[in-house]
Amino acid sequence: MMLTGWLLFSLALFSIGLYAVLARRNLIAILIGIELMLNGASVNFLAFNAYLSKDPAVGQIAVLFVIGLAAAEAAIALSIILAVYRSRNAIDVAGLDELKG
Amino acid sequence: MNLAWADAACFLPEIVVIATAAIGLMLERPLRRVQSDVGSWIALAGLALAGVVTLRFSPSGDALGGIFVRDAFTSTFELAAIGVGTLATLLGSSFLRAVDYRRTEFFPILLLTITGVMIAAGARDFLLLFVGLEILALGGATLLGFFTPNEKSREALMKSFITSGIATAFLLLGFAFVFGVTGSTHYDEVATRVAAHAGTGHPFLELGFGLVVVSLLVRIMAFPFNMYAADALQGAPGPAAGAFSVATVLGGFAALFRIFEEAGAASCNVEWSILLGIAAGSTMVLSSLYATYQDNVKRMLSYATLAHVGFLLAGFAVAYSPKLSAAQSEAVLSAVVFYLLGFVFLQAGAFAIISAVFFGRRFGEYLAEFRGLGRRCPVAGLAYVAIFLSLAGFPPTFVFLAKVQILGAALQAEMFVLTAAAIVGSLIGAFYHLRVLVVMYFRENPHAPGVIPSVPLVTAMTLVTVGVVGIGIFPEKALQTAIESVRVLF
């Protein structure tokens, strides 16, 4: 039963993150949303790893990869946000709609 | 499992490309002062070496306890990636000459992006595939936003970055569910456990593979994610858009092939042919329709890219129809790989066209700016004709051959709606590509500039033209390569 609890927790994290990405207009909030989604998936990995896996290392290695990736992604995202801020003095997505059609 | 020289030898092409990127990054600072093409020469030398290594010196076999495999499939995709890298380096060199000489970090980023494709092509473990796809996604996003002084480029970067972040999270969640059921991330073990569940199915398994496939659909820019992709490709600098579009499609399809054939997604209790068929059909028809009313050729070509992706995905969907025998599926998958090989040249050509006319501050991308180009630059005009006819899929180009094979298989699989969608999409495609050629040859604009007379651009265009025409007239070699690379998966 513990596994179900952890799965629900990870799903909640993931859904909150997805909601933040889709609903928030602020680029930092969107970035945090993406990180939440990644963390939700990581918790999922760890829960399965702890309760079901034969090899307890695999899920933990996966999460280490995710942490490394999240750091790289945050670095790139923050540099984009800085570039956007420098040119427009604002960091919401509302103005990023020049390309369409 | 210990790291031995044999493992390193398996990774030799990747190591060469990464080392070249590292050298390029180290020399970026000093190269800023000397205004030259040295950055692109280093990249070209590294890519040439990687190509030779892939063809001649790298052994086949498993590496790192079987999480990476070098076989015909991996090598084919690696060569395709190296091809993209070479063409994009040439285009990028010409782009930097026109815009800003000093930004030589373009080449290392490009090299790292194609490394992502190379790793994803050989990965036989979810974790390595994840790493490969992420290198590809982060590198690709950086490429798209490469020329950030441009407002549009920044928007392209932002849009693709958010979408790719969501895709990453879906991929990971999917892997977690599959891992939960199978207890492993290695394809062989996953496939064994999936086969054990084949009759009854398992909800987590279907959910997991479903999430993975959705995420890979984002990577290959298929419906319903094609709208962001058109924005991203239009906003990015031409060479970067070309490189990104091919790299992400190659990486996504390599992952799809291996996950379906080797990780057992195909034997999962899901009607893949219908789901993927819907995505493919919508991608083709919608992209083609959107492309028809663009007066911006760059956006039109971005939609054309997506239409090709739809066709590739249609081939993939048809292969998993239960009505086809194993041999027929193998044949249609070979056609998809053949199409992908030509797609490398096609995309490089399309985005070469976009990076060829320079107006001092920006590149010519509106239809009106192509007026009379065919008469002003007769030689380049021939290249344009070859590229546009290939994009439109006229015989005797390779696109025609690949499309005919895929359509034939779709008819055998009795997927009539998809066949109809494919034919409609192709007919619309013929129309909007020919429109550009008409403007080029039958409208006049005496004051517009011609094609930039730069050596790298001319080289790239020549290679592309020889490529698209060559594969069309002598398809045997490429077809053989495609067949051999698909055979190792079965």
Side-chain angles (χ1 to χ4, degrees), chain A residues 14 21 27 37 44-45 48 52 54 58 62 66 69 73 76-77 80 87-88 96-101, chain B residues 127 130 134 151-152 154-155 157-159 161 166 169 172-173 176-177 179-180 189 231 294 299 303:
Chain A
F14 193 87
V21 173
L27 286 176
M37 288 171 82
N44 207 328
F45 243 112
F48 280 127
L52 298 178
K54 296 172 299 226
V58 179
V66 177
L69 164 87
E73 214 166 62
I76 293 184
I80 307 170
S87 77
R88 301 192 303 120
L96 292 174
D97 54 0
E98 210 175 302
L99 299 167
K100 53 181 165 247
Chain B
L127 294 182
F130 176 70
E134 281 323 303
E151 184 83 29
K152 284 184 182 164
R154 212 173 299 136
E155 186 184 334
L157 172 57
M158 204 62 237
K159 283 185 172 166
F161 195 80
I166 301 175
L172 204 65
L173 193 67
F177 278 118
F179 170 70
E189 284 178 52
D231 285 351
Q294 303 301 334
R299 192 169 182 84
Y303 278 120

Side-chain angles (χ1 to χ4, degrees), chain B residues 318-329 332 408-414:
Chain B
V318 167
Y320 293 101
S321 159
K323 293 204 178 68
L324 289 192
S325 67
Q328 283 171 318
S329 311
V332 63
L411 284 178
Q412 280 172 343
E414 297 174 15

Side-chain angles (χ1 to χ4, degrees), chain B residues 27 30 48 53 80 167 170 250 255 268 286 322 368 380 414 431 476:
Chain B
L27 291 182
V53 165
F170 273 84
L250 281 178
C268 211
L286 286 179
E414 297 174 15
F431 159 71
E476 293 83 8

Side-chain angles (χ1 to χ4, degrees), chain A residues 27 83-96, chain B residues 151 154:
Chain A
L27 286 176
V84 171
Y85 181 75
R86 281 206 193 116
S87 77
R88 301 192 303 120
N89 265 328
I91 48 163
D92 50 77
V93 288
L96 292 174
Chain B
E151 184 83 29
R154 212 173 299 136

Side-chain angles (χ1 to χ4, degrees), chain B residues 109-333:
Chain B
I109 300 173
L110 174 70
L111 291 177
L112 291 175
T113 311
I114 68 162
T115 315
V117 181
M118 295 163 85
I119 293 176
R124 297 198 70 221
D125 187 286
F126 285 147
L127 294 182
L128 189 65
L129 174 64
F130 176 70
V131 172
L133 286 179
E134 281 323 303
I135 296 174
L136 168 57
L138 293 179
T142 321
L143 267 189
L144 286 181
F146 170 72
F147 202 60
T148 41
N150 181 337
E151 184 83 29
K152 284 184 182 164
S153 185
R154 212 173 299 136
E155 186 184 334
L157 172 57
M158 204 62 237
K159 283 185 172 166
S160 72
F161 195 80
I162 294 173
T163 324
S164 122
I166 301 175
T168 305
F170 273 84
L171 186 73
L172 204 65
L173 193 67
F175 285 167
F177 278 118
V178 176
F179 170 70
V181 178
T182 59
S184 174
T185 55
H186 193 275
Y187 286 3
D188 288 341
E189 284 178 52
V190 170
T192 321
R193 297 297 302 271
V194 172
H197 286 287
T200 52
H202 190 297
F204 280 1
L205 214 49
E206 281 120 43
L207 178 66
F209 277 125
L211 286 168
V212 171
V213 169
V214 166
S215 162
L216 291 175
L217 288 186
V218 180
R219 291 273 176 262
I220 63 170
M221 307 183 287
F223 180 83
F225 311 103
N226 47 356
M227 298 308 142
Y228 101 86
D231 285 351
L233 295 184
Q234 184 200 346
F244 172 80
S245 62
V246 189
T248 189
V249 167
L250 281 178
F253 267 103
L256 276 176
F257 272 98
R258 284 213 189 266
I259 286 181
F260 270 71
E261 286 305 326
E262 296 192 328
S267 52
C268 211
N269 259 358
V270 182
E271 286 280 355
W272 291 119
S273 63
I274 294 181
L275 292 180
L276 294 174
I278 292 171
S282 325
T283 315
M284 274 185 288
V285 174
L286 286 179
S287 308
S288 305
L289 285 178
Y290 276 118
T292 46
Y293 67 82
Q294 303 301 334
D295 58 353
N296 182 327
V297 178
K298 195 174 183 186
R299 192 169 182 84
M300 188 206 90
L301 288 174
S302 307
Y303 278 120
T305 307
L306 304 178
H308 284 291
V309 167
F311 220 110
L312 285 162
L313 189 63
F316 195 78
V318 167
Y320 293 101
S321 159
K323 293 204 178 68
L324 289 192
S325 67
Q328 283 171 318
S329 311
E330 197 182 317
V332 63
L333 286 179

Side-chain angles (χ1 to χ4, degrees), chain B residues 38-55:
Chain B
V38 180
S40 66
W41 295 342
I42 295 172
L44 285 177
L47 286 163
L49 184 60
V52 172
V53 165
T54 313
L55 282 175

Side-chain angles (χ1 to χ4, degrees), chain B residues 188-489:
Chain B
D188 288 341
E189 284 178 52
V190 170
T192 321
R193 297 297 302 271
V194 172
H197 286 287
T200 52
H202 190 297
F204 280 1
L205 214 49
E206 281 120 43
L207 178 66
F209 277 125
L211 286 168
V212 171
V213 169
V214 166
S215 162
L216 291 175
L217 288 186
V218 180
R219 291 273 176 262
I220 63 170
M221 307 183 287
F223 180 83
F225 311 103
N226 47 356
M227 298 308 142
Y228 101 86
D231 285 351
L233 295 184
Q234 184 200 346
F244 172 80
S245 62
V246 189
T248 189
V249 167
L250 281 178
F253 267 103
L256 276 176
F257 272 98
R258 284 213 189 266
I259 286 181
F260 270 71
E261 286 305 326
E262 296 192 328
S267 52
C268 211
N269 259 358
V270 182
E271 286 280 355
W272 291 119
S273 63
I274 294 181
L275 292 180
L276 294 174
I278 292 171
S282 325
T283 315
M284 274 185 288
V285 174
L286 286 179
S287 308
S288 305
L289 285 178
Y290 276 118
T292 46
Y293 67 82
Q294 303 301 334
D295 58 353
N296 182 327
V297 178
K298 195 174 183 186
R299 192 169 182 84
M300 188 206 90
L301 288 174
S302 307
Y303 278 120
T305 307
L306 304 178
H308 284 291
V309 167
F311 220 110
L312 285 162
L313 189 63
F316 195 78
V318 167
Y320 293 101
S321 159
K323 293 204 178 68
L324 289 192
S325 67
Q328 283 171 318
S329 311
E330 197 182 317
V332 63
L333 286 179
S334 316
V336 172
V337 173
F338 174 68
Y339 200 152
L340 276 172
L341 289 178
F343 185 73
V344 171
F345 290 104
L346 207 56
Q347 284 304 104
F351 286 92
I353 283 171
I354 289 307
S355 330
V357 183
F358 191 55
F359 284 95
R361 290 184 63 98
R362 59 182 193 86
F363 287 88
E365 51 185 57
Y366 291 96
L367 195 54
E369 291 164 350
F370 284 75
R371 279 191 201 140
L373 192 63
R375 298 212 200 137
R376 246 186 342 270
C377 312
V379 182
L382 285 179
Y384 276 49
V385 172
I387 293 166
F388 272 115
L389 289 185
S390 311
L391 280 163
F394 280 94
T397 59
F398 77 91
V399 178
F400 181 75
L401 291 175
K403 281 187 171 179
V404 166
Q405 284 198 35
I406 291 174
L407 285 178
L411 284 178
Q412 280 172 343
E414 297 174 15
M415 296 171 78
F416 298 118
V417 180
L418 187 62
T419 316
I423 292 173
V424 169
S426 305
L427 288 180
I428 302 175
F431 159 71
Y432 59 76
H433 287 113
L434 288 183
R435 196 179 59 164
V436 183
L437 286 182
V438 168
V439 168
M440 273 177 58
Y441 280 94
F442 300 109
R443 301 274 188 282
E444 268 311 320
N445 182 6
H447 305 299
V451 171
I452 314 171
S454 85
V455 178
L457 180 78
V458 173
T459 317
M461 280 214 167
T462 315
L463 284 176
V464 165
T465 313
V466 170
V468 287
V469 175
I471 300 182
I473 298 174
F474 307 104
E476 293 83 8
K477 185 84 178 77
L479 261 178
Q480 197 55 39
T481 315
I483 291 170
E484 278 165 16
S485 54
V486 170
R487 188 166 295 145
V488 297
L489 298 180

